[in-house]
Amino acid sequence: MNYIALLLLAGFSSVDRNAAFHIMLSRPLVLSTIIGLLFGNVYLCFLSGLLIELFGNIDVPVGTKISKDDTFMAYSMGILVSFGIIQTLSDYLLGLLLVIIFVFPVTYVDMLTRKWNQHMLDKYLKYRIYKSPFGILIKGITVAFLKGVVLYNIFCLIAAFILVRIEDYLSIQGEITAYIFLIASFLAGYLIRFLSFKSVYKYIIFSSGLLLGWLVI
């Protein structure tokens, strides 16, 4: 039942973020904590969601700008922590790096679905292909739900597979330097948000620094 609840949580959190409800279920802090309640690791999932909330400071949504899908990040990291795939801080840094990479295709799909929603609305206004706009709303909610169920879980599984394969080859141990690097990386991420260029370059800079720091550790 927990796994069914997890799939429903992925779908409804995506709907909450992109289409309807807007009851803050999609916020990283809330979503990660719920995953922790489902699988018995509330404290670490809570901390994971809190860190991802801070990480979201890099990409500030202004106007029609689509911010990176931190709901997916929280969902993936919550699962990686709850299922014991992430056990040390170094694991967390590497897992976060993988999730950052996969957040781009997830966000790109979000952009495509928004364009599709706009296209459906334009067709409705021009041709009146629906008797009411509720048909468009239902389709938009359904697509958002499927996006969460399918994409969130597929990319989470890929990240988990890569992380486990790397752990098979490397002995990753958490040290005090990892804590120092984690604090520095999030402080750097907060400063990067104020730079006036595309967010994709900000994420590349941030991820490159994260990867370099992990290699050093």
Side-chain angles (χ1 to χ4, degrees):
M1 289 300 295
N2 282 0
Y3 294 105
I4 295 176
L6 189 63
L7 292 177
L8 293 175
L9 184 62
F12 284 121
S13 63
S14 177
V15 171
D16 183 71
R17 179 184 181 88
N18 298 291
F21 306 149
H22 307 304
I23 57 175
M24 295 300 158
L25 175 65
S26 58
R27 292 311 311 157
L29 186 59
V30 177
L31 182 58
S32 290
T33 304
I34 293 175
I35 293 175
L37 288 170
L38 286 174
F39 294 98
N41 206 339
V42 181
Y43 180 67
L44 290 180
C45 285
F46 172 82
L47 292 179
S48 177
L50 183 62
L51 288 173
I52 293 173
E53 290 280 4
L54 297 175
F55 180 81
N57 287 323
I58 294 177
D59 199 24
V60 183
V62 179
T64 58
K65 176 182 174 60
I66 301 175
S67 59
K68 301 301 177 292
D69 198 328
D70 55 2
T71 303
F72 160 73
M73 296 177 65
Y75 180 81
S76 298
M77 294 303 292
I79 290 177
L80 294 177
V81 169
S82 293
F83 284 70
I85 298 173
I86 288 178
Q87 297 183 0
T88 68
L89 185 59
S90 294
D91 288 347
Y92 187 90
L93 291 174
L94 182 56
L96 182 60
L97 176 63
L98 293 171
V99 171
I100 289 173
I101 294 172
F102 292 128
V103 81
F104 282 93
V106 173
T107 305
Y108 181 70
V109 172
D110 183 18
M111 182 185 69
L112 293 179
T113 55
R114 292 191 184 199
K115 289 184 176 180
W116 179 80
N117 288 336
Q118 183 63 51
H119 174 69
M120 294 295 293
L121 178 60
D122 292 340
K123 287 181 66 176
Y124 166 74
L125 294 175
K126 186 174 181 180
Y127 301 110
R128 298 292 178 178
I129 59 175
Y130 296 103
K131 294 181 179 180
S132 74
F134 289 105
I136 300 174
L137 294 176
I138 293 173
K139 283 191 174 183
I141 292 172
T142 302
V143 169
F145 184 86
L146 292 176
K147 173 197 169 186
V149 172
V150 177
L151 286 187
Y152 284 12
N153 286 286
I154 285 178
F155 285 116
C156 178
L157 288 174
I158 294 174
F161 176 80
I162 295 174
L163 184 57
V164 169
R165 294 285 77 77
I166 292 176
E167 289 174 343
D168 287 342
Y169 289 101
L170 300 175
S171 176
I172 305 173
Q173 301 294 331
E175 300 175 358
I176 188 63
T177 51
Y179 290 91
I180 295 173
F181 174 71
L182 183 63
I183 295 172
S185 65
F186 280 99
L187 288 176
Y190 185 81
L191 294 175
I192 289 174
R193 70 182 294 202
F194 295 105
L195 299 179
S196 57
F197 51 83
K198 292 183 177 180
S199 63
V200 62
Y201 301 124
K202 298 179 185 180
Y203 275 85
I204 290 174
I205 293 173
F206 186 86
S207 301
S208 299
L210 195 63
L211 176 60
L212 179 61
W214 178 79
L215 291 173
V216 170
I217 292 172

